[in-house]
Coordinates of all heavy atoms in Angstrom, one line a residue:
M80 N 118.3 69.6 83.0 CA 118.1 71.0 82.6 C 117.3 71.0 81.3 O 116.5 71.9 81.1 CB 119.4 71.7 82.4 CG 119.3 73.1 82.0 SD 118.2 74.1 83.0 CE 119.3 74.8 84.2
A81 N 117.5 70.1 80.4 CA 116.8 70.1 79.1 C 115.3 70.1 79.3 O 114.6 70.7 78.6 CB 117.3 68.9 78.2
N82 N 114.8 69.3 80.3 CA 113.4 69.3 80.5 C 112.9 70.6 81.0 O 111.8 71.0 80.7 CB 113.1 68.2 81.6 CG 113.3 66.8 81.0 OD1 113.3 66.6 79.7 ND2 113.4 65.8 81.8
G83 N 113.7 71.3 81.9 CA 113.3 72.6 82.3 C 113.2 73.6 81.2 O 112.3 74.4 81.1
I84 N 114.2 73.5 80.3 CA 114.2 74.4 79.1 C 112.9 74.2 78.3 O 112.3 75.1 77.8 CB 115.4 74.2 78.3 CG1 116.7 74.6 79.1 CG2 115.4 74.9 76.9 CD1 116.8 76.0 79.4
E85 N 112.6 72.9 78.1 CA 111.5 72.5 77.3 C 110.2 73.1 77.9 O 109.3 73.6 77.3 CB 111.4 71.0 77.1 CG 110.2 70.6 76.2 CD 110.2 69.0 76.1 OE1 111.2 68.3 76.5 OE2 109.2 68.6 75.5
A86 N 110.1 72.9 79.3 CA 108.9 73.3 80.0 C 108.8 74.8 79.9 O 107.6 75.3 79.7 CB 109.0 72.9 81.5
L87 N 109.9 75.6 80.1 CA 109.8 77.0 80.0 C 109.4 77.5 78.6 O 108.7 78.5 78.4 CB 111.1 77.6 80.4 CG 111.3 77.7 82.0 CD1 112.7 78.2 82.3 CD2 110.3 78.6 82.6
A88 N 109.9 76.8 77.6 CA 109.6 77.1 76.2 C 108.1 76.9 76.0 O 107.5 77.8 75.4 CB 110.4 76.3 75.2
N89 N 107.6 75.8 76.5 CA 106.1 75.6 76.3 C 105.3 76.6 77.1 O 104.3 77.1 76.6 CB 105.8 74.2 76.8 CG 106.3 73.1 75.9 OD1 106.5 73.3 74.7 ND2 106.6 71.9 76.4
L90 N 105.8 77.0 78.3 CA 105.1 77.9 79.1 C 105.1 79.3 78.5 O 104.0 80.0 78.5 CB 105.7 78.0 80.5 CG 105.0 78.8 81.6 CD1 103.7 78.1 81.9 CD2 105.9 78.9 82.8
T91 N 106.2 79.8 77.9 CA 106.3 81.1 77.5 C 106.1 81.3 76.0 O 105.8 82.4 75.5 CB 107.8 81.6 77.7 OG1 108.7 80.8 77.0 CG2 108.1 81.6 79.2
G92 N 106.1 80.2 75.2 CA 106.0 80.3 73.8 C 107.2 80.7 73.1 O 107.2 80.8 71.9
L93 N 108.3 80.8 73.8 CA 109.6 81.2 73.2 C 110.3 79.9 72.7 O 110.0 78.8 73.2 CB 110.6 81.8 74.2 CG 110.2 83.2 74.8 CD1 111.1 83.5 75.9 CD2 110.3 84.2 73.7
P94 N 111.1 80.0 71.6 CA 111.8 78.8 71.1 C 112.7 78.3 72.2 O 113.3 79.1 73.0 CB 112.6 79.3 69.9 CG 112.0 80.6 69.6 CD 111.3 81.2 70.8
E95 N 113.0 77.0 72.2 CA 113.9 76.4 73.2 C 115.3 77.1 73.1 O 115.9 77.3 74.1 CB 114.0 74.9 73.0 CG 112.8 74.2 73.5 CD 113.0 72.7 73.5 OE1 114.1 72.2 73.7 OE2 112.0 72.0 73.3
S96 N 115.7 77.4 71.9 CA 117.0 78.0 71.8 C 117.1 79.4 72.5 O 118.1 79.7 73.1 CB 117.4 78.2 70.3 OG 116.4 79.0 69.7
E97 N 116.0 80.1 72.5 CA 116.0 81.4 73.1 C 115.9 81.2 74.6 O 116.6 82.0 75.4 CB 114.7 82.2 72.6 CG 114.6 83.6 73.3 CD 115.7 84.6 72.9 OE1 116.5 84.2 72.1 OE2 115.7 85.7 73.5
V98 N 115.1 80.3 75.1 CA 115.1 80.0 76.5 C 116.5 79.6 77.0 O 116.9 80.0 78.1 CB 114.0 78.9 76.9 CG1 114.1 78.5 78.3 CG2 112.6 79.4 76.5
Q99 N 117.2 78.7 76.2 CA 118.5 78.3 76.6 C 119.4 79.5 76.7 O 120.3 79.6 77.6 CB 119.0 77.2 75.6 CG 120.4 76.6 76.0 CD 120.4 75.9 77.3 OE1 119.6 74.9 77.3 NE2 121.1 76.2 78.2
R100 N 119.3 80.4 75.7 CA 120.2 81.6 75.6 C 120.0 82.4 76.9 O 121.0 82.9 77.5 CB 119.9 82.4 74.4 CG 120.9 83.6 74.2 CD 120.4 84.5 73.1 NE 119.2 85.2 73.5 CZ 119.1 86.2 74.5 NH1 120.2 86.6 75.0 NH2 118.0 86.8 74.8
I101 N 118.7 82.6 77.3 CA 118.4 83.4 78.5 C 119.0 82.7 79.7 O 119.6 83.4 80.6 CB 116.9 83.6 78.6 CG1 116.4 84.5 77.4 CG2 116.6 84.2 79.9 CD1 114.9 84.6 77.3
A102 N 118.8 81.4 79.8 CA 119.3 80.7 81.0 C 120.8 80.7 81.1 O 121.4 80.9 82.2 CB 118.8 79.2 80.9
D103 N 121.5 80.6 79.9 CA 122.9 80.8 79.9 C 123.4 82.2 80.4 O 124.4 82.3 81.1 CB 123.5 80.5 78.5 CG 123.4 79.0 78.1 OD1 123.1 78.2 79.0 OD2 123.5 78.8 76.9
E104 N 122.6 83.2 79.9 CA 122.9 84.6 80.3 C 122.7 84.8 81.8 O 123.6 85.5 82.4 CB 122.0 85.5 79.5 CG 122.3 86.9 79.5 CD 121.4 87.7 78.6 OE1 121.4 87.5 77.4 OE2 120.6 88.5 79.1
V105 N 121.7 84.3 82.3 CA 121.4 84.4 83.8 C 122.5 83.7 84.6 O 123.0 84.3 85.6 CB 120.0 83.8 84.1 CG1 119.9 83.7 85.6 CG2 118.9 84.7 83.5
R106 N 122.9 82.5 84.1 CA 124.0 81.7 84.8 C 125.3 82.5 84.8 O 126.0 82.6 85.8 CB 124.1 80.3 84.1 CG 124.8 79.3 85.0 CD 124.8 77.9 84.4 NE 123.4 77.4 84.4 CZ 122.7 77.0 83.3 NH1 123.2 77.1 82.1 NH2 121.5 76.6 83.5
A107 N 125.6 83.1 83.6 CA 126.9 83.8 83.5 C 126.8 85.1 84.3 O 127.9 85.5 84.9 CB 127.1 84.2 82.0
N108 N 125.7 85.7 84.4 CA 125.6 86.9 85.2 C 125.8 86.6 86.7 O 126.5 87.3 87.4 CB 124.2 87.6 85.0 CG 124.0 88.9 85.7 OD1 124.8 89.8 85.5 ND2 123.0 89.0 86.5
L109 N 125.1 85.5 87.2 CA 125.3 85.1 88.5 C 126.8 84.8 88.9 O 127.3 85.1 89.9 CB 124.4 83.9 88.9 CG 122.9 84.3 89.0 CD1 122.1 83.0 89.2 CD2 122.7 85.2 90.2
A110 N 127.4 84.1 87.9 CA 128.8 83.7 88.1 C 129.7 85.0 88.2 O 130.6 85.0 89.1 CB 129.3 82.9 86.9
R111 N 129.4 86.0 87.4 CA 130.2 87.3 87.5 C 130.0 87.9 88.9 O 130.9 88.3 89.5 CB 129.8 88.3 86.4 CG 130.3 87.9 85.0 CD 130.0 89.1 84.1 NE 128.7 89.3 83.8 CZ 128.0 88.7 82.8 NH1 128.6 87.8 82.0 NH2 126.7 88.9 82.6
L112 N 128.7 88.0 89.3 CA 128.4 88.6 90.6 C 129.0 87.9 91.7 O 129.5 88.5 92.6 CB 126.8 88.7 90.7 CG 126.1 89.7 89.8 CD1 124.6 89.4 89.9 CD2 126.4 91.1 90.1
N113 N 128.9 86.5 91.7 CA 129.5 85.8 92.8 C 131.0 85.8 92.9 O 131.5 85.6 94.0 CB 129.0 84.3 92.7 CG 127.5 84.1 93.0 OD1 127.0 84.9 93.8 ND2 126.9 83.1 92.4
A114 N 131.7 86.1 91.8 CA 133.1 86.1 91.8 C 133.7 87.5 92.1 O 134.9 87.6 92.3 CB 133.6 85.6 90.4
C115 N 132.8 88.5 92.2 CA 133.3 89.8 92.5 C 133.5 90.1 93.9 O 132.8 89.7 94.8 CB 132.2 90.8 92.0 SG 132.7 92.5 92.0
G116 N 134.7 90.8 94.2 CA 135.1 91.1 95.5 C 134.3 92.3 96.2 O 134.2 92.3 97.4
A117 N 134.0 93.2 95.4 CA 133.3 94.4 95.9 C 132.6 95.1 94.7 O 133.3 95.7 93.8 CB 134.3 95.4 96.5
H118 N 131.3 95.0 94.7 CA 130.5 95.6 93.6 C 130.5 97.2 93.7 O 130.5 97.7 94.8 CB 129.1 95.2 93.6 CG 128.9 93.7 93.5 ND1 129.3 93.0 92.4 CD2 128.3 92.8 94.4 CE1 129.0 91.7 92.6 NE2 128.4 91.6 93.8
T119 N 130.5 97.8 92.5 CA 130.3 99.2 92.4 C 129.2 99.4 91.4 O 129.5 99.4 90.2 CB 131.5 100.0 92.0 OG1 132.6 99.7 92.9 CG2 131.3 101.5 92.0
F120 N 127.9 99.4 91.9 CA 126.8 99.5 90.9 C 126.5 100.9 90.4 O 126.5 101.8 91.2 CB 125.5 98.9 91.6 CG 125.6 97.4 91.8 CD1 125.7 96.9 93.1 CD2 125.6 96.5 90.8 CE1 125.8 95.5 93.3 CE2 125.6 95.2 90.9 CZ 125.7 94.6 92.2
V121 N 126.2 101.0 89.1 CA 125.8 102.2 88.5 C 124.5 101.9 87.8 O 124.3 100.8 87.2 CB 126.8 102.8 87.6 CG1 128.0 103.3 88.4 CG2 127.2 101.8 86.5
R122 N 123.6 102.8 87.8 CA 122.3 102.6 87.1 C 122.5 102.5 85.6 O 123.2 103.2 85.0 CB 121.4 103.8 87.5 CG 120.0 103.6 86.9 CD 119.1 104.7 87.5 NE 117.8 104.7 86.8 CZ 116.7 105.1 87.4 NH1 116.6 105.4 88.6 NH2 115.6 105.1 86.7
I123 N 121.8 101.5 85.0 CA 121.8 101.2 83.6 C 120.8 102.2 83.0 O 119.6 102.2 83.3 CB 121.5 99.8 83.3 CG1 122.5 98.8 83.8 CG2 121.4 99.6 81.7 CD1 122.2 97.4 83.7
E124 N 121.3 103.0 82.0 CA 120.4 103.9 81.3 C 120.4 103.6 79.9 O 121.4 103.2 79.3 CB 120.9 105.4 81.5 CG 121.0 105.8 82.9 CD 119.6 106.1 83.6 OE1 118.6 106.0 82.9 OE2 119.6 106.3 84.8
P125 N 119.3 103.7 79.2 CA 118.0 104.1 79.7 C 117.3 102.9 80.4 O 117.6 101.8 80.0 CB 117.2 104.6 78.5 CG 117.7 103.7 77.4 CD 119.2 103.5 77.7
A126 N 116.5 103.2 81.4 CA 115.7 102.1 82.0 C 114.3 102.7 82.4 O 114.2 103.9 82.7 CB 116.4 101.7 83.3
P127 N 113.3 101.8 82.4 CA 112.0 102.3 82.9 C 112.2 102.8 84.3 O 112.8 102.2 85.1 CB 111.2 101.0 82.8 CG 111.9 100.1 81.9 CD 113.3 100.4 82.1
P128 N 111.6 104.0 84.6 CA 111.7 104.5 86.0 C 111.2 103.7 87.1 O 111.7 103.7 88.2 CB 110.9 105.8 85.9 CG 110.2 105.8 84.6 CD 110.8 104.8 83.7
T129 N 110.3 102.8 86.8 CA 109.7 101.9 87.8 C 110.5 100.6 88.0 O 110.3 99.9 88.9 CB 108.2 101.6 87.6 OG1 108.1 101.0 86.3 CG2 107.4 102.9 87.7
R130 N 111.4 100.3 87.0 CA 112.1 99.1 87.1 C 113.6 99.3 86.7 O 114.1 98.7 85.8 CB 111.5 98.0 86.2 CG 110.2 97.5 86.7 CD 109.6 96.4 85.9 NE 109.4 96.8 84.5 CZ 109.9 96.2 83.5 NH1 110.7 95.2 83.6 NH2 109.7 96.6 82.2
P131 N 114.3 100.2 87.4 CA 115.7 100.4 87.1 C 116.6 99.2 87.3 O 116.2 98.4 88.2 CB 116.1 101.6 88.0 CG 115.2 101.5 89.1 CD 113.9 101.0 88.6
K132 N 117.6 99.1 86.5 CA 118.6 98.0 86.8 C 120.0 98.7 87.0 O 120.2 99.8 86.5 CB 118.6 97.0 85.6 CG 117.4 96.2 85.5 CD 117.6 95.1 84.4 CE 118.4 94.0 85.1 NZ 118.5 92.8 84.2
Y133 N 120.9 97.9 87.6 CA 122.2 98.4 87.9 C 123.3 97.4 87.4 O 123.1 96.2 87.5 CB 122.3 98.6 89.4 CG 121.4 99.7 89.9 CD1 120.0 99.3 90.2 CD2 121.7 101.0 90.1 CE1 119.1 100.3 90.6 CE2 120.8 101.9 90.5 CZ 119.5 101.6 90.8 OH 118.6 102.5 91.2
R134 N 124.4 97.9 86.9 CA 125.5 97.1 86.5 C 126.7 97.4 87.3 O 127.0 98.6 87.6 CB 125.8 97.3 85.0 CG 126.9 96.3 84.5 CD 127.0 96.4 83.0 NE 125.8 96.2 82.3 CZ 125.2 95.1 82.1 NH1 125.7 94.0 82.6 NH2 124.1 95.0 81.4
C135 N 127.4 96.4 87.7 CA 128.7 96.6 88.5 C 129.8 97.0 87.6 O 130.0 96.2 86.6 CB 129.0 95.3 89.3 SG 130.6 95.4 90.2
E136 N 130.5 98.1 87.9 CA 131.6 98.5 87.1 C 132.8 97.6 87.2 O 133.7 97.5 86.4 CB 132.0 99.9 87.5 CG 131.0 101.0 87.1 CD 131.4 102.4 87.4 OE1 131.9 102.6 88.6 OE2 131.1 103.3 86.6
A137 N 132.9 96.8 88.3 CA 134.0 95.9 88.5 C 133.8 94.6 87.8 O 134.7 94.1 87.1 CB 134.2 95.7 90.0
C138 N 132.7 93.9 87.9 CA 132.5 92.6 87.4 C 131.6 92.6 86.2 O 131.6 91.5 85.4 CB 132.0 91.6 88.5 SG 130.2 92.0 89.0
G139 N 130.8 93.6 85.9 CA 129.9 93.6 84.8 C 128.6 92.9 85.1 O 127.7 92.9 84.2
G140 N 128.4 92.4 86.3 CA 127.2 91.7 86.6 C 126.0 92.7 86.8 O 126.3 93.9 87.2
A141 N 124.8 92.3 86.5 CA 123.7 93.2 86.6 C 122.7 92.7 87.6 O 122.5 91.5 87.8 CB 123.0 93.4 85.2
V142 N 122.0 93.7 88.3 CA 121.0 93.3 89.3 C 119.8 94.2 89.1 O 119.9 95.3 88.5 CB 121.5 93.4 90.7 CG1 122.6 92.5 91.0 CG2 121.9 94.9 91.0
D143 N 118.6 93.8 89.6 CA 117.5 94.6 89.6 C 117.5 95.6 90.8 O 118.4 95.5 91.6 CB 116.1 93.8 89.6 CG 115.9 93.0 90.9 OD1 116.6 93.3 91.9 OD2 115.1 92.1 90.9
H144 N 116.5 96.5 90.8 CA 116.5 97.5 91.9 C 116.4 97.0 93.3 O 116.8 97.6 94.2 CB 115.5 98.6 91.6 CG 114.1 98.2 91.6 ND1 113.5 97.5 90.6 CD2 113.1 98.4 92.5 CE1 112.3 97.2 90.9 NE2 112.0 97.8 92.0
H145 N 115.7 95.8 93.4 CA 115.5 95.2 94.7 C 116.9 94.8 95.3 O 117.3 95.1 96.4 CB 114.6 94.0 94.7 CG 113.2 94.4 94.4 ND1 112.4 95.1 95.3 CD2 112.4 94.2 93.3 CE1 111.2 95.3 94.7 NE2 111.2 94.7 93.5
A146 N 117.6 94.1 94.5 CA 119.0 93.6 94.9 C 119.9 94.8 95.1 O 120.6 94.8 96.1 CB 119.5 92.7 93.8
Y147 N 119.8 95.8 94.3 CA 120.7 97.0 94.5 C 120.3 97.6 95.8 O 121.3 98.0 96.5 CB 120.4 97.9 93.3 CG 121.1 99.3 93.6 CD1 122.4 99.5 93.5 CD2 120.3 100.4 94.0 CE1 123.0 100.7 93.7 CE2 120.9 101.6 94.3 CZ 122.2 101.7 94.2 OH 122.8 102.9 94.5
R148 N 119.1 97.8 96.1 CA 118.6 98.5 97.3 C 119.2 97.8 98.5 O 119.7 98.4 99.4 CB 117.1 98.6 97.3 CG 116.5 99.0 98.7 CD 116.8 100.5 98.9 NE 116.2 100.9 100.2 CZ 116.8 101.7 101.1 NH1 118.0 102.2 100.9 NH2 116.2 102.0 102.2
W149 N 119.0 96.4 98.6 CA 119.5 95.7 99.7 C 121.0 95.7 99.9 O 121.6 95.8 101.0 CB 118.9 94.3 99.7 CG 117.5 94.2 100.1 CD1 116.5 94.0 99.3 CD2 116.9 94.5 101.4 NE1 115.3 94.1 100.0 CE2 115.5 94.4 101.3 CE3 117.5 94.9 102.6 CZ2 114.7 94.6 102.3 CZ3 116.6 95.1 103.7 CH2 115.2 95.0 103.5
Y150 N 121.7 95.7 98.7 CA 123.2 95.7 98.7 C 123.6 97.1 99.3 O 124.5 97.1 100.2 CB 123.7 95.5 97.3 CG 125.2 95.4 97.3 CD1 125.9 94.2 97.7 CD2 126.0 96.5 96.9 CE1 127.3 94.1 97.6 CE2 127.4 96.4 96.8 CZ 128.0 95.2 97.2 OH 129.4 95.1 97.2
A151 N 123.0 98.2 98.8 CA 123.4 99.5 99.2 C 123.1 99.7 100.7 O 123.9 100.3 101.5 CB 122.6 100.6 98.4
L152 N 122.0 99.1 101.2 CA 121.6 99.2 102.6 C 122.6 98.4 103.5 O 123.0 98.9 104.5 CB 120.1 98.7 102.8 CG 119.5 99.0 104.2 CD1 119.4 100.5 104.5 CD2 118.1 98.4 104.2
G153 N 123.0 97.3 103.0 CA 123.9 96.5 103.7 C 125.3 97.2 103.9 O 125.9 97.2 105.0
L154 N 125.7 97.9 102.8 CA 126.9 98.7 102.9 C 126.8 99.8 103.9 O 127.7 100.1 104.7 CB 127.3 99.3 101.5 CG 127.7 98.3 100.5 CD1 128.0 99.0 99.1 CD2 129.0 97.6 100.9
E155 N 125.6 100.5 103.9 CA 125.4 101.6 104.8 C 125.4 101.1 106.2 O 126.0 101.7 107.1 CB 124.0 102.2 104.5 CG 123.6 103.4 105.3 CD 122.3 104.0 104.9 OE1 122.0 104.0 103.7 OE2 121.5 104.3 105.7
H156 N 124.8 100.0 106.5 CA 124.7 99.4 107.9 C 126.1 99.0 108.3 O 126.5 99.2 109.5 CB 123.8 98.2 107.9 CG 122.3 98.6 107.9 ND1 121.3 97.7 108.0 CD2 121.8 99.8 107.8 CE1 120.1 98.4 107.9 NE2 120.4 99.7 107.8
A157 N 126.9 98.4 107.4 CA 128.3 98.0 107.7 C 129.1 99.2 108.1 O 130.1 99.0 108.9 CB 128.9 97.3 106.5
R158 N 128.8 100.3 107.5 CA 129.5 101.6 107.9 C 129.0 102.2 109.2 O 129.5 103.2 109.6 CB 129.4 102.6 106.8 CG 130.3 102.3 105.5 CD 130.3 103.5 104.6 NE 129.0 103.9 104.2 CZ 128.4 103.6 103.0 NH1 129.1 102.8 102.2 NH2 127.2 104.0 102.7
G159 N 127.9 101.6 109.7 CA 127.4 102.1 111.0 C 126.4 103.3 110.7 O 126.2 104.1 111.5
G160 N 125.9 103.3 109.5 CA 125.0 104.4 109.1 C 123.6 104.2 109.6 O 123.4 103.4 110.5
A161 N 122.7 105.0 109.1 CA 121.3 104.9 109.5 C 120.7 103.6 109.4 O 121.0 102.8 108.5 CB 120.5 105.9 108.7
Q162 N 119.9 103.2 110.4 CA 119.3 101.9 110.4 C 117.9 101.9 109.7 O 116.9 101.5 110.2 CB 119.1 101.4 111.8 CG 120.4 101.4 112.6 CD 121.3 100.3 112.1 OE1 121.0 99.1 112.0 NE2 122.5 100.7 111.7
S163 N 117.9 102.5 108.5 CA 116.6 102.6 107.8 C 116.4 101.4 106.8 O 117.3 100.7 106.5 CB 116.6 103.8 106.9 OG 117.7 103.8 106.0
Ligands
ZN276 ZN1 130.7 93.3 91.0

């Protein structure tokens, strides 16, 4: 992992400590999402209108609008809703 951190630091120009902090944050977010039994996402405000993000009120994990959209659609389909 250290080599990956170094490579990303070189690629982005960010200090390795910052790249490591972001990687730790992403890993912790995924762990929260994976451990959650049923997400209840709410939109995080303020957010840019073209790139909204959502946070689960149950686990605290956050997702982008693509993940939110597919999760919401999956719930709708599971309920037998519209096949859109
Ligand atoms: Zn959740």
Side-chain angles (χ1 to χ4, degrees):
M80 180 52 96
N82 289 340
I84 296 297
E85 183 180 351
L87 282 172
N89 289 335
L90 187 68
T91 61
L93 294 171
E95 285 188 30
S96 61
E97 179 65 6
V98 174
Q99 183 66 60
R100 186 193 65 75
I101 293 169
D103 291 346
E104 192 176 295
V105 168
R106 198 172 292 122
N108 187 53
L109 286 174
R111 283 192 292 272
L112 291 167
N113 286 333
C115 186
H118 302 299
T119 303
F120 289 112
V121 294
R122 187 169 165 148
I123 298 171
E124 301 288 354
T129 57
R130 292 185 298 121
K132 290 190 76 173
Y133 298 81
R134 184 173 308 284
C135 175
E136 291 182 316
C138 68
V142 297
D143 66 15
H144 64 285
H145 294 292
Y147 169 77
R148 169 70 179 138
W149 285 110
Y150 186 77
L152 190 61
L154 290 177
E155 185 179 318
H156 286 181
R158 285 192 302 263
Q162 303 294 304
S163 60

